[in-house]
Amino acid sequence: MNYDVVVGLEIHAELSTNTKAFCTCSADFGADPNTHICPVCTGQPGALPIINHGAVEYAIRAGLTFDCDINRYTKFERKNYFYPDLPKAYQISQLDLPICVNGKVELSTGTVVRINNIHLEEDAGKLFHDDFYGQSLADYNRCSVPLIEIVTEPDMHSAEEAVEFVSKIGLYLKYLNVCDAKMQEGSIRADVNISIKEKGSEKLGNRTEIKNLNSFRSIQRAIEYEVKRQSEILDNGGTVVQETRKFDDTMGTTSSMRSKENANDYRYFPEPDIMSIVFTEEDIEEARRNIPLLPHQRVDKYINEYGLTDEDARVLTLEKYLSDFYDETVAIYPQYKNVSNLFQTEIMRRVKDTEEEVVPISAEGFAKVCEMTDKNIVNRNDAKTIIRIMFEEGGEPEEIAKANNFIVVEDAGETEKFIEELLDSNPDLVKQYFDGKTNMFGFFMGQTNRALRGKATPTLVRECLEKALDKRKP
Ligand code: ADP
Ligand code: MG
Ligand code: ZN
């Protein structure tokens, strides 16, 4: 039978604050295990948390961006569970009055995904179950790194919509400078809730929740697998068990992890060590001021202010670091269209498959190459070589151009001389030109450019040729 697919997401995004949510330990990723820890984030008795106001402001920024209402009064709860990745045995989170509620995000399909809430909480540590002589190892560096959890209503209807939602959220969080959204480092992870129902029916089916998916591909495959599995159950007259399942990346299958826990299983209670927060209008305005131009606004700016095409504007804003680099370049050398062309052909393809999300050359250097190309100081092919050398070996564009004899040295005298001779030895062609065969101009240009390669720019050739023809006007 054919069913409607229903998907709701809980997206965890690690905030890129310098320090953790409730202590001053570094929140950086990738340090040696257990070097970013202290009595607070490892839950030593008597240690007291202090809230990181930066993380709170980041959460408000995200809420405003996704059209949420900001609760003027917010507080924190303890969510208790016992697991070795959580030395305190509870996570500080929010249940009743999360910072942001009632948002929405629109997808390219036209579907509007409602956001139930965005709340602030802390991350847990990381366990390694590789075979260390039968032992597991714990790294607590990630304990208490601030997270926002974005909880949607069950408003998506396919794996593709779920993937688009996660990717849009990631892109916007990056533009907001609140999360680096590197899925491969786990800074964005999604719990995916999936159910199916009879086509057109109002009544939602029983859902399963797949925990901790950290790539678009696994989100896509997990949903596809679950839809197939649940469809087979219903086709055979069975009922889907509401439960938490895990996804096996190698097999592309999901399997039962545990029966679904409820909020009361976590024995939520008020966090007694952190004061509730009352936001003033000024707090919210401050967060609003910290919201930079968002992807759709950059697209508008590129089209309306820079005169780029829709397609160029879209391509340039697909990644924040690329859009930032383009902006830096045109701030130095505002030839929007020319910079965009050279950027798309020579820079974007070189960084396309890298993970670091940086352009390894400077915007100043790139602006210089664009300018030298526009002014015909170097020709376009040599400009490409200069960029390649800058990527591979570093260095300043002008030095590279000189060292490789790429600089076009103009010699006006020689150009004039060549053109005079060319015209003198082709009187019939000159006559044809004045008889109306204007494409002769292009022929003379071509001959001269070829002969004087590296000594005259097309601009100079054009000037000299116009002068020489003028003299011969009948
Ligand atoms: P819980 O607190 O038990 O996890 P919630 O009601 O907060 O349950 O929902 C968690 C997530 O599950 C939300 O993203 C929500 O959209 C999604 N969800 C709820 N019901 C369904 C359903 N029938 N099918 C798919 N997703 C659902
Ligand atoms: Mg849940
Ligand atoms: Zn700490």
Side-chain angles (χ1 to χ4, degrees):
M1 215 164 66
N2 243 332
Y3 300 98
D4 283 337
V5 175
V6 176
V7 180
L9 297 173
E10 294 155 280
I11 298 180
H12 293 89
E14 254 176 30
L15 299 181
S16 44
T17 49
N18 293 330
T19 57
K20 291 186 177 182
F22 304 110
C23 61
T24 54
C25 290
S26 162
D28 280 353
F29 176 83
D32 284 344
N34 297 311
T35 54
H36 291 174
I37 58 175
C38 75
V40 177
C41 54
T42 53
Q44 307 301 312
L48 288 173
I50 294 168
I51 194 154
N52 179 342
H53 284 284
V56 176
E57 192 265 321
Y58 280 13
I60 301 177
R61 246 190 254 183
L64 293 172
T65 298
F66 302 130
D67 256 347
C68 294
D69 300 326
I70 308 301
N71 273 326
R72 294 304 192 265
Y73 174 66
T74 192
K75 61 194 184 66
F76 292 85
E77 272 87 20
R78 286 186 182 180
K79 178 180 178 177
N80 298 276
Y81 69 92
F82 181 75
Y83 202 65
D85 65 0
L86 190 71
K88 292 206 295 278
Y90 63 84
Q91 177 192 30
I92 303 178
S93 181
Q94 303 194 280
L95 185 65
D96 288 343
L97 289 166
I99 299 178
C100 322
V101 291
N102 293 332
K104 60 176 191 310
V105 167
E106 189 173 341
L107 302 180
S108 64
T109 52
T111 297
V112 175
V113 180
R114 291 165 299 159
I115 291 175
N116 177 288
N117 74 81
I118 302 178
H119 59 267
L120 185 62
E121 60 185 27
E122 55 181 339
D123 210 344
K126 208 169 162 151
L127 298 180
F128 294 86
H129 301 297
D130 316 276
D131 191 9
F132 294 108
Y133 305 101
Q135 300 169 46
S136 288
L137 299 179
D139 175 6
Y140 291 144
N141 284 350
R142 205 178 63 182
C143 271
S144 212
V145 168
L147 294 176
I148 48 174
E149 180 173 341
I150 301 173
V151 183
T152 79
E153 299 295 345
D155 288 344
M156 285 151 279
H157 309 295
S158 64
E160 289 72 25
E161 283 195 343
V163 167
E164 186 189 338
F165 183 84
V166 177
S167 115
K168 187 162 185 182
I169 293 286
L171 183 69
Y172 274 71
L173 292 179
K174 260 194 234 180
Y175 270 80
L176 284 173
N177 297 317
V178 305
C179 170
D180 65 19
K182 289 188 181 156
M183 287 194 103
Q184 69 282 7
E185 289 182 5
S187 54
I188 289 222
R189 316 186 290 269
D191 297 345
V192 181
N193 298 268
I194 307 152
S195 65
I196 57 172
K197 60 181 173 63
E198 243 174 66
K199 262 217 162 350
S201 157
E202 293 288 306
K203 192 169 171 297
L204 293 183
N206 284 348
R207 73 177 196 265
T208 56
E209 177 176 14
I210 323 289
K211 285 276 184 200
N212 250 327
L213 298 175
N214 66 356
S215 71
F216 296 127
R217 194 171 131 79
S218 58
I219 294 170
Q220 174 92 25
R221 289 163 79 216
I223 296 175
E224 281 167 1
Y225 180 83
E226 262 312 284
V227 169
K228 189 157 156 282
R229 190 186 69 86
Q230 295 184 14
S231 302
E232 280 166 14
I233 295 176
L234 295 194
D235 282 347
N236 292 321
T239 31
V240 174
V241 181
Q242 178 151 330
E243 62 184 354
T244 303
R245 298 175 71 85
K246 61 169 185 281
F247 179 66
D248 182 325
D249 229 334
T250 4
M251 305 293 289
T253 58
T254 66
S255 59
S256 181
M257 227 165 115
R258 54 175 185 253
S259 66
K260 173 96 188 80
E261 65 288 337
N262 287 313
N264 52 11
D265 293 332
Y266 288 118
R267 295 176 294 119
Y268 273 98
F269 66 86
E271 165 58 61
D273 292 334
I274 294 179
M275 302 247 273
S276 41
I277 307 176
V278 176
F279 294 122
T280 62
E281 290 308 311
E282 176 47 33
D283 293 331
I284 291 167
E285 278 318 305
E286 187 197 332
R288 201 188 299 281
R289 280 196 297 274
N290 288 336
I291 298 178
L293 279 192
L294 297 169
H296 62 280
Q297 295 165 323
R298 281 210 203 181
V299 167
D300 288 349
K301 177 171 123 181
Y302 288 1
I303 295 171
N304 299 326
E305 287 177 36
Y306 294 178
L308 300 185
T309 63
D310 292 18
E311 176 61 11
D312 283 345
R314 194 187 59 80
V315 170
L316 290 174
T317 49
L318 282 179
E319 285 286 353
K320 176 177 189 290
Y321 77 104
L322 293 176
S323 177
D324 285 346
F325 188 88
Y326 173 77
D327 275 349
E328 264 181 73
T329 309
V330 294
I332 301 165
Y333 180 63
Q335 290 296 326
Y336 306 111
K337 182 68 195 164
N338 294 354
V339 173
S340 161
N341 287 344
L342 206 56
F343 184 70
Q344 287 186 48
T345 53
E346 296 310 310
I347 305 282
M348 282 177 65
R349 78 183 166 88
R350 284 179 199 282
V351 294
K352 200 170 69 184
D353 296 320
T354 58
E355 268 189 10
E356 293 77 28
E357 304 196 347
V358 286
V359 178
I361 67 173
S362 72
E364 288 79 12
F366 180 56
K368 195 79 215 164
V369 180
C370 293
E371 188 180 349
M372 293 197 304
T373 315
D374 288 348
K375 297 194 171 148
N376 292 310
I377 295 169
V378 298
N379 71 43
R380 207 176 155 92
N381 261 333
D382 292 338
K384 290 179 183 181
T385 310
I386 295 174
I387 292 174
R388 180 176 58 75
I389 295 172
M390 288 168 78
F391 264 75
E392 288 170 2
E393 297 159 26
E396 296 303 320
E398 283 153 308
E399 316 284 281
I400 297 171
K402 274 184 207 143
N404 290 279
N405 285 325
F406 290 156
I407 305 269
V408 177
V409 186
E410 303 222 278
D411 188 333
E414 193 176 335
T415 310
E416 276 164 19
K417 186 160 156 270
F418 180 87
I419 289 176
E420 288 296 332
E421 282 171 14
L422 178 71
L423 298 187
D424 284 347
S425 53
N426 290 289
D428 356 333
L429 299 185
V430 174
K431 185 168 179 305
Q432 284 180 28
Y433 171 77
F434 285 114
D435 287 346
K437 219 168 160 205
T438 45
N439 59 359
M440 275 303 139
F441 193 89
F443 171 77
F444 294 135
M445 282 271 307
Q447 294 288 314
T448 316
N449 280 338
R450 213 162 311 134
L452 297 181
R453 212 184 175 143
K455 293 185 192 140
T457 61
T459 321
L460 176 65
V461 173
R462 175 176 294 278
E463 272 172 27
C464 296
L465 183 59
E466 277 168 356
K467 243 188 262 162
L469 283 167
D470 237 25
K471 276 200 301 199
R472 289 172 171 75
K473 205 172 189 166

